[in-house]
Amino acid sequence: MPDAKELAAERSSGPSGSGEGQLERDSLPYSKDTEGGRPTRKWAMTIDLDRCTGCHACETACAAENNIPVVGEQQAHQGRLHQWIRVERYWEGSYPNVKARFMPIPCQHCDNAPCEPVCPVYATYHNPEGLNAMAYNRCVGTRYCGNNCPYDVRMFNWFEHSWDEPLNQHLNPDVTVREKGVMEKCTFCVQRIRRAEEKSDAEGRELEPDEFTTACAQACPPKAITFGNVKDDRWSVSKLWNDPRRFRLLEELGTSPAVVYLKTVED
Amino acid sequence: MSRPVLIRFILIASLLLPASLCMAFFWPETTHERKTNWVGAPGPTQPIAFYHHVHVNELHIPCAYCHWTAANSRYANYPPVEVCWGCHKNISVTHPQIARVRQYYIDKKPIPWVRVNQQPGYVHFVHSSHIGAGIACATCHGNVGSMYAVYQPIEMNMGWCISCHRQYQKKFHPYQASVDCYTCHY
């Protein structure tokens, strides 16, 4: 987009940007030295599969935090289940020696996201903080992004959802209630990021390491999910980011996800 | 066009036309339409004829005396009846409009003010950041002191937000105002 380029040029000429390293910065979608004068951030998540017990608490917390509708059994059967994070279950071995393995799968927030270039209206794009952003009010519902996502984490709103009487009071006011005809997906709890930024801005300081976390990470009983800024070494996620057990989901596709899984340790 | 095809076409058209008219009237409104639209004078009729003109222009009461959560919250509040009552239990108690305020206070009921400034559900505007950056209330809300019934002086649409975010980004705040979609839309 020409607008974004102009803007980047404006920014680099300002007091916050430096002239050198311009080419390198522009070649990567998120890794500008500064975004609006702020230190660089890249939001990322690590999921320790050794710790995950498959309790589905992350799904529940996510549904409560992000106003995710309950579509019911019939719609779920038709593949229209709404879950921004899902726990996949795999059985290993045969009857006497069966092992269950679990894998929570949120949106991977890929750096080379396959969903982004196919959107005809730029409703989904990569923001400077490394988030795969989704602007609901821009979405026209072509569902190309959902079809192009190798992780199958994008949900389409086929109907206008409603919440029964006491439940409509639990909706989170910081999150849009998505209307019919738009795509939605995990946002890495961007509303919490913004809340934390507002708080730190008001107090005139930078974000503290591990100051906040996503709803799924907060609810995880064995602390399998860690969320944070990997560009800052003080965050606990950046200590786990280069763990020797690390792997990324479908890494051979070259999507470069921002979610790192840590392998189960075998006895 | 042959005669049976023409008849079929007329039949279908005569069915579709009333159907489309029905849809236009009874189709549920979307979030894009759920927005108050009080752009330009006059504003809506409020349950009590509250005069900002008297309170702001003549008495010079700061905005934050009544709308205090704007400074440290996303939302600016309506004052509860107790705030009105705090002054008006002593001041101009014989005024007929103040008698109505007293009635709300005695009944322990909130005054059902009509909301004038509202963004659609997919916009998350933050008052505290803007107040913290030193933006005056009047920049967006206009000269409320000169309004008898409060209205929106400008239609608050995204182009208007962005123009300010680009223009004044270095003037008020050490950080540039963000123009990322995820600043407001999430």
Side-chain angles (χ1 to χ4, degrees):
Chain A
M1 289 186 295
D3 270 357
K5 281 231 173 99
E6 280 169 31
L7 213 67
E10 262 179 46
R11 276 184 185 156
S12 61
S13 64
S16 55
S18 58
E20 54 187 340
Q22 184 68 39
L23 264 177
E24 193 187 305
R25 275 213 301 272
D26 285 349
S27 63
L28 289 171
Y30 61 87
S31 66
K32 286 180 191 147
D33 280 350
T34 54
E35 165 54 21
R38 290 174 197 274
T40 323
R41 286 181 192 145
K42 171 154 171 59
W43 301 111
M45 185 180 270
T46 57
I47 300 178
D48 193 338
L49 297 181
D50 198 33
R51 282 172 175 257
C52 178
T53 59
C55 68
H56 294 254
C58 45
E59 288 178 0
T60 313
C62 180
E65 170 78 15
N66 291 306
N67 302 341
I68 294 172
V70 179
V71 292
E73 200 177 341
Q74 192 207 342
Q75 292 293 313
H77 193 67
Q78 293 176 359
R80 295 170 182 177
L81 184 60
H82 274 257
Q83 276 177 325
W84 283 9
I85 180 169
R86 66 173 190 273
V87 179
E88 292 209 339
R89 185 193 57 198
Y90 302 99
W91 295 112
E92 232 173 53
S94 55
Y95 167 59
N97 306 312
V98 185
K99 219 176 202 177
R101 295 202 188 272
F102 300 100
M103 190 179 217
I105 301 181
C107 171
Q108 306 286 311
H109 289 267
C110 316
D111 291 343
N112 299 319
C115 54
E116 287 165 9
V118 294
C119 181
V121 292
Y122 301 105
T124 182
Y125 71 101
H126 220 71
N127 94 337
E129 297 174 36
L131 295 172
N132 175 241
M134 176 76 215
Y136 306 122
N137 44 323
R138 222 171 211 210
C139 180
V140 295
T142 61
R143 316 200 302 280
Y144 289 161
C145 53
N147 289 333
N148 220 26
C149 175
Y151 306 102
D152 197 17
V153 289
R154 284 178 166 267
M155 314 289 148
F156 186 68
N157 288 285
W158 291 92
F159 301 100
E160 188 90 40
H161 301 291
S162 62
W163 281 263
D164 293 337
E165 189 43 60
L167 290 174
N168 59 357
Q169 300 291 332
H170 96 295
L171 292 174
N172 187 350
D174 291 350
V175 181
T176 311
V177 177
R178 280 82 56 188
E179 63 172 348
K180 181 175 73 176
V182 301
M183 206 48 126
E184 65 180 56
K185 62 163 198 79
C186 163
T187 58
F188 267 179
C189 281
V190 67
Q191 70 278 9
R192 293 188 174 210
I193 299 175
R194 294 289 172 258
R195 279 268 180 193
E197 274 176 358
E198 285 155 24
K199 191 161 172 274
S200 64
D201 274 0
E203 293 167 11
R205 58 176 172 84
E206 292 303 330
L207 278 179
E208 296 288 326
D210 299 331
E211 183 175 335
F212 69 98
T213 188
T214 57
C216 52
Q218 189 186 355
C220 184
K223 303 261 172 291
I225 304 176
T226 319
F227 173 79
N229 174 16
V230 278
K231 285 283 175 75
D232 189 341
D233 293 338
R234 297 172 301 159
W235 289 72
S236 52
V237 69
S238 50
K239 296 183 181 81
L240 292 166
W241 183 252
N242 287 320
D243 196 276
R245 291 188 286 139
R246 97 197 278 267
F247 73 96
R248 292 193 282 187
L249 201 55
L250 302 181
E251 198 160 12
E252 66 276 12
L253 299 178
T255 52
S256 175
V259 178
V260 155
Y261 290 91
L262 307 180
K263 271 179 199 152
T264 315
V265 181
E266 300 295 341
D267 308 327
Chain B
M1 202 180 278
S2 65
R3 203 178 154 80
V5 173
L6 190 69
I7 288 169
R8 207 179 297 158
F9 176 78
I10 290 167
L11 268 173
I12 290 171
S14 63
L15 281 173
L16 280 180
L17 191 71
S20 64
L21 279 173
C22 282
M23 273 171 75
F25 283 110
F26 301 113
W27 201 250
E29 58 173 15
T30 64
T31 49
H32 292 265
E33 292 151 13
R34 276 180 224 133
K35 185 180 169 187
T36 59
N37 195 13
W38 299 112
V39 183
T45 313
Q46 299 285 357
I48 289 170
F50 176 84
Y51 289 135
H52 274 91
H53 181 78
V54 176
H55 293 81
V56 180
N57 265 17
E58 292 173 14
L59 300 170
H60 302 289
I61 299 172
C63 307
Y65 185 83
C66 300
H67 307 285
W68 67 87
T69 66
N72 45 26
S73 153
R74 288 189 169 189
Y75 310 101
N77 63 320
Y78 297 120
V81 193
E82 283 81 359
V83 173
C84 309
W85 190 244
C87 296
H88 282 292
K89 66 181 169 190
N90 295 322
I91 300 168
S92 58
V93 281
T94 53
H95 195 283
Q97 295 291 334
I98 302 302
R100 299 173 70 184
V101 174
R102 189 191 303 121
Q103 200 53 50
Y104 279 114
Y105 180 74
I106 291 166
D107 295 348
K108 290 187 170 31
K109 277 183 185 160
I111 304 172
W113 299 112
V114 180
R115 189 167 177 174
V116 176
N117 295 285
Q118 189 170 15
Q119 291 292 338
Y122 50 81
V123 179
H124 297 276
F125 177 80
V126 184
H127 271 92
S128 60
S129 304
H130 292 85
I131 302 279
I135 316 279
C137 305
T139 312
C140 307
H141 294 295
N143 188 3
V144 174
S146 68
M147 300 173 189
Y148 282 94
V150 174
Y151 57 88
Q152 276 189 26
I154 345 159
E155 192 181 359
M156 298 174 177
N157 51 25
M158 197 179 88
W160 172 75
C161 296
I162 292 287
S163 68
C164 200
H165 269 228
R166 283 186 178 154
Q167 194 180 350
Y168 295 112
Q169 47 194 0
K170 284 154 205 151
K171 192 172 168 188
F172 292 122
H173 204 257
Y175 294 141
Q176 288 175 355
S178 175
V179 287
D180 186 28
C181 307
Y182 249 14
T183 310
C184 302
H185 302 297
Y186 46 81

